Amino acid sequence: MLFIVLFFSNAGAFGKDEWTAARSKNFNLIGNASEKDIRGAAARLEQFREAFRQIFDKVDFNSPVPTTVIVFKDDNSYNPYKPLKTGGQTDRMVAGYFLSADDANFITLSLEGDTNRAYETIFHEYTHFWVANNIGKSNVPPWFNEGLAEYYQNLKIENERKVVLGGVQNEHLKVLSQNKLIPFETFFNTDNYTLAQQGEDGAGLFYAQAWALMHYLMHGEGGARSRQMYKFLDLSMNGKPAKEAFSEAFQTDYATMERELRKYIEQNSYGVSEINLKNKLDFDSEVQTKPLGEAEAKLYLGELLFYFDRLGEAEAHFLQVFLLNPNSARANLNLGKIRAKQGKWDELARFLAKSIEQNPNDFAAYYHYARSLSEQGMSEFGFVSEYPKPLADKMRELLKKAIALNPDFAQSYELYAFVSVVRRENVDEAIEYLKRALKIAPGNQQYQLRMAELLMWKEDFTNARKIALKIARTASEPELKVYAENALDRISDYEGQMYSARNPRRQPQVADRIYTEEELRALREQGLIESLNMMVAKPQKGEKRILGSVTRIECQPQAIYFTVKAGNNILRLESETFETVHLTAYSQEMGNAKFGCGELKQQHLAVIIYRQANKNATKIAGELKSIEFVPANFRFLN
């Protein structure tokens, strides 16, 4: 996952560079900038992390993967390592980014020009990274996740002791002044996947409103709301559903909070708060620096290119390393990772075995060897049908060595669990390993999904389905969403098989028999329907919920009108804009479906909630609140 900030700059000349390595308490830095500037970058990142940690003092801030910071002295030396546009050209307006992968994080920035926006982007995404690993994207709604990140990206530190929060974001104020607020019933029910599908304008308004609400919660009502906000966070971290946590923490409803926020924005007065920390945030003395050779610098830069999937450029860097250091264990390791991406398994084994031979104490070599072996025959969404026993034994052996060398690297536990999921063996041991991974990163959705698969083999179908459903609903990444949806199918399929095997039908004087394929399918469908009934929205006071399909959408200047067919009834519902309607898809059939103005050629079953109109209204049944697309066989259960 990549996050960037843009700026404009003139290109300069690229010359011979001297590189420096620096190590602070929580970050590994390298750069061709001056030692002073690299120390300054380390101190600023450590200050932000520590200030954030002291504010959220009950949360573990340890990262499950290492973070490398690359500090470029100017834009010219940064250009070869910036992300590429769709057409393959370098995106030269990038000033800094945060790149998060399964087993590594990279922060990069250029010190040329104004660095404030680069740091703001880095702080924003570091906040997201903290939420994802410690709380989980599925446990907090997007308004909170985005609002928190937008708010804390402007955190300022003065005199290494005072933290200043609440800086105004003028771009957000402009958006809010030009648009009506998204109705809170829609705003609070927007999930990660729906937000990711919105256009730039819709997402921009969502982020602006999320920032404004977070600012109000932090500063409004004399600070009372800030204490409630921390309670909301605590309830969310303990698994309480978002709406229940909101009601309990804030002691109000969405409509009241919407009125309060509108009044807050209209006042156009945004104060800041200052926190005086007990301990001075002076990290410069803790930073250790040393010269970095050209070979080591190329290793880091090549690894950055590898995570961008720019394999040819990455390989060129690693081959240059061999010219400078023929016995580089890390170069062998990285070339092995490239061969895994290319499906060249024989070369992969040779490179990774050589890496282990040259550095037998590097946990990463054992982990990546096992990971590369696990990718044989794997689909782009992470599915694999089987591992032969010798291959599985080899992976487990490598992973146990990686764990012994670095027990804090959570990915080793997750991969061990994956082997057990595929092989359907060593399940209890894998669950214990995965518990360790979730202790390190309790919010990681990939780890949670792996636990769901292990629980399936333990025949704990209720909890397995609950986890998978939650991730299918909240995942913003398409690959994870697809995997979760397929996990739901596998859970229901296996539950049906077990039910059939243990509950054969008995008929008078007729021999026992197992269920037919049709009966098994009915059992699987019933399990999914029961789960979906727990997930779909419930109508609030004054609202009505129906099961039907949208047949036509009329887009008029004053409103949008939806024609809905529900059984033998035809209803006409209205909405101010598309943004005021909460859209969710629980049906894979909606994957490529078009939903817009005019007659809908494809009509999909949906759970529809609307607020009923006044009895005197004759043409409009009510105001449309939400549409949740469900499988064609869905039905309401009492």
Side-chain angles (χ1 to χ4, degrees):
M1 189 175 297
L2 170 68
F3 305 93
I4 61 179
V5 61
L6 306 180
F7 82 133
F8 295 91
S9 173
N10 294 321
F14 182 81
K16 183 71 173 177
D17 293 318
E18 292 184 0
W19 287 78
T20 300
R23 180 66 199 173
S24 66
K25 186 176 181 180
N26 296 286
F27 298 96
N28 179 41
L29 299 94
I30 70 162
N32 63 351
S34 68
E35 178 182 336
K36 178 182 178 181
D37 286 338
I38 294 173
R39 282 181 171 275
R44 190 162 181 180
L45 290 167
E46 289 287 1
Q47 285 174 343
F48 173 81
R49 185 185 184 280
E50 179 61 16
F52 200 64
R53 188 195 68 79
Q54 291 192 33
I55 294 168
F56 295 97
D57 59 349
K58 295 181 181 179
V59 178
D60 183 3
F61 271 73
N62 292 327
S63 170
V65 295
T67 299
T68 298
V69 183
I70 304 180
V71 184
F72 294 94
K73 66 180 181 180
D74 55 30
D75 199 46
N76 227 18
S77 56
Y78 192 15
N79 278 331
Y81 306 98
K82 293 180 178 181
L84 303 180
K85 298 179 181 179
T86 305
Q89 306 92 348
T90 299
D91 195 339
R92 293 181 179 274
M93 291 193 298
V94 172
Y97 59 78
F98 181 105
L99 188 153
S100 179
D102 288 344
D103 56 340
N105 295 320
F106 282 93
I107 293 173
T108 72
L109 71 155
S110 167
L111 296 182
E112 182 176 349
D114 182 9
T115 61
N116 285 330
R117 291 193 65 191
Y119 276 111
E120 285 176 5
T121 296
I122 292 164
F123 293 164
H124 179 109
E125 300 309 332
Y126 193 88
T127 304
H128 279 326
F129 175 72
W130 168 77
V131 169
N133 281 284
N134 290 279
I135 306 175
K137 289 177 70 174
S138 61
N139 289 328
V140 292
W143 71 263
F144 181 89
N145 198 355
E146 294 298 339
L148 195 72
E150 291 286 333
Y151 180 82
Y152 277 100
Q153 76 177 36
N154 277 345
L155 180 148
K156 299 292 188 293
I157 298 172
E158 298 178 357
N159 301 321
E160 297 179 343
R161 192 183 295 273
K162 183 168 68 176
V163 177
V164 181
L165 296 168
V168 171
Q169 297 206 35
N170 292 318
E171 292 180 3
H172 288 336
L173 292 181
K174 182 179 179 181
V175 171
L176 292 169
S177 68
Q178 296 174 345
N179 296 273
K180 293 182 179 180
L181 290 180
I182 302 169
F184 269 33
E185 191 69 38
T186 301
F187 179 67
F188 282 128
N189 285 302
T190 298
D191 56 37
N192 290 302
Y193 187 77
T194 303
L195 179 60
Q197 306 308 308
Q198 291 186 14
E200 185 175 340
D201 291 341
L205 177 57
F206 184 92
Y207 297 141
Q209 187 165 321
W211 167 80
L213 177 59
M214 188 59 64
H215 200 285
Y216 168 64
L217 295 178
M218 290 292 195
H219 298 270
E221 305 298 326
R225 288 297 193 203
S226 66
R227 293 187 291 272
Q228 293 172 331
M229 191 280 293
Y230 289 115
K231 183 175 182 180
F232 173 84
L233 177 62
D234 187 58
L235 292 170
S236 298
M237 290 175 65
N238 285 285
K240 179 148 288 196
K243 192 163 188 175
E244 293 180 27
F246 181 93
S247 177
E248 183 175 339
F250 295 111
Q251 295 294 300
T252 190
D253 56 19
Y254 290 165
T256 303
M257 185 68 78
E258 182 175 351
R259 289 193 296 271
E260 291 179 8
L261 179 61
R262 187 176 290 110
K263 181 179 178 181
Y264 187 71
I265 294 173
E266 289 171 353
Q267 290 175 350
N268 197 29
S269 176
Y270 298 89
V272 299
S273 61
E274 298 179 352
I275 302 174
N276 293 307
L277 303 176
K278 294 180 180 179
N279 300 316
K280 191 175 182 181
L281 298 177
D282 180 10
F283 292 95
D284 184 69
S285 60
E286 298 180 3
V287 179
Q288 299 177 350
T289 62
K290 65 178 182 179
L292 189 70
E294 183 181 355
E296 287 185 272
K298 287 186 178 296
L299 277 170
Y300 282 109
L301 296 170
E303 288 167 351
L304 177 64
L305 291 168
F306 171 83
Y307 286 105
F308 270 130
D309 209 27
R310 293 162 61 175
L311 302 185
E313 296 169 84
E315 182 171 358
H317 277 64
F318 300 139
L319 292 176
Q320 290 175 41
V321 172
F322 278 130
L323 296 177
L324 299 166
N325 180 7
N327 296 316
S328 171
R330 274 178 63 191
N332 277 298
L333 168 62
N334 284 293
L335 283 171
K337 290 160 62 178
I338 290 175
R339 294 298 179 263
K341 289 266 190 180
Q342 297 168 335
K344 298 178 180 180
W345 308 113
D346 291 340
E347 293 183 44
L348 171 157
R350 186 171 70 252
F351 279 120
L352 289 174
K354 187 70 173 176
S355 176
I356 291 173
E357 177 186 331
Q358 291 167 332
N359 186 1
N361 294 319
D362 180 13
F363 82 94
Y366 296 101
Y367 166 74
H368 281 290
Y369 197 171
R371 177 170 178 167
S372 298
L373 293 174
S374 76
E375 292 172 353
Q376 297 185 40
M378 184 179 289
S379 74
E380 63 175 311
F381 293 110
F383 297 105
V384 62
S385 58
E386 185 57 87
Y387 289 133
K389 189 176 187 307
L391 180 62
D393 290 343
K394 176 70 173 177
M395 286 188 283
R396 290 196 185 98
E397 176 189 353
L398 291 166
L399 290 169
K400 286 188 174 181
K401 289 181 179 178
I403 290 168
L405 289 167
N406 187 354
D408 295 326
F409 185 67
Q411 287 292 113
S412 296
Y413 301 119
E414 189 274 339
L415 184 54
Y416 192 98
F418 181 66
V419 176
S420 295
V421 167
V422 174
R423 289 283 302 173
R424 195 180 164 184
E425 61 186 15
N426 295 46
V427 173
D428 289 334
E429 181 184 33
I431 287 175
E432 292 305 312
Y433 273 167
L434 202 54
K435 285 179 179 178
R436 297 187 200 177
L438 286 166
K439 187 175 182 180
I440 296 169
N444 188 292
Q445 289 186 310
Q446 185 65 56
Y447 301 169
Q448 294 169 9
L449 195 51
R450 197 69 70 221
M451 182 64 80
E453 294 176 306
L454 290 170
L455 292 175
M456 174 185 70
W457 292 138
K458 294 287 288 183
E459 299 181 28
D460 184 355
F461 301 114
T462 299
N463 286 316
R465 186 179 288 108
K466 182 179 179 181
I467 295 171
L469 256 176
K470 190 172 187 179
I471 296 173
R473 183 182 185 183
T474 60
S476 56
E477 297 82 7
E479 296 83 0
L480 189 60
K481 184 177 180 66
V482 169
Y483 196 100
E485 290 170 345
N486 278 274
L488 283 169
D489 290 340
R490 296 196 305 275
I491 292 166
S492 295
D493 182 73
Y494 185 54
E495 183 178 21
Q497 293 178 34
M498 293 298 98
Y499 190 93
S500 175
R502 292 171 182 170
N503 298 277
R505 283 188 172 180
R506 290 184 178 274
Q507 297 180 1
Q509 300 179 3
V510 178
D512 290 351
R513 66 179 181 84
I514 62 173
Y515 284 164
T516 65
E517 284 297 319
E518 183 177 351
E519 290 168 329
L520 282 174
R521 185 167 57 252
L523 286 170
R524 293 193 294 268
E525 290 176 353
Q526 178 66 16
L528 182 58
I529 289 170
E530 290 177 0
S531 298
L532 286 174
N533 266 269
M534 292 188 292
M535 300 297 290
V536 293
K538 307 298 187 294
Q540 303 300 309
K541 184 177 180 181
E543 295 178 346
K544 188 171 182 180
R545 186 173 71 169
I546 60 173
L547 192 61
S549 56
V550 179
T551 61
R552 179 178 174 79
I553 302 175
E554 300 173 42
C555 299
Q556 303 293 337
Q558 71 277 15
I560 299 175
Y561 299 96
F562 297 78
T563 301
V564 175
K565 183 179 180 182
N568 296 324
N569 298 321
I570 303 295
L571 291 82
R572 186 173 167 84
L573 304 173
E574 69 174 348
S575 174
E576 185 176 345
T577 66
F578 276 112
E579 285 72 25
T580 59
V581 179
H582 175 62
L583 293 175
T584 304
Y586 294 116
S587 171
Q588 296 183 45
E589 299 167 358
M590 282 297 298
N592 298 315
K594 294 182 178 179
F595 190 76
C597 303
E599 296 285 345
L600 300 186
K601 295 180 179 180
Q602 291 181 305
Q603 297 170 16
H604 298 275
L605 190 66
V607 174
I608 297 169
I609 293 180
Y610 65 94
R611 185 172 296 280
Q612 293 179 279
N614 188 295
K615 292 182 179 180
N616 295 328
T618 57
K619 295 182 179 180
I620 304 299
E623 178 189 0
L624 181 61
K625 306 301 293 184
S626 67
I627 303 174
E628 296 177 291
F629 295 102
V630 291
N633 63 344
F634 179 82
R635 64 186 183 279
F636 292 130
L637 301 176
N638 294 329

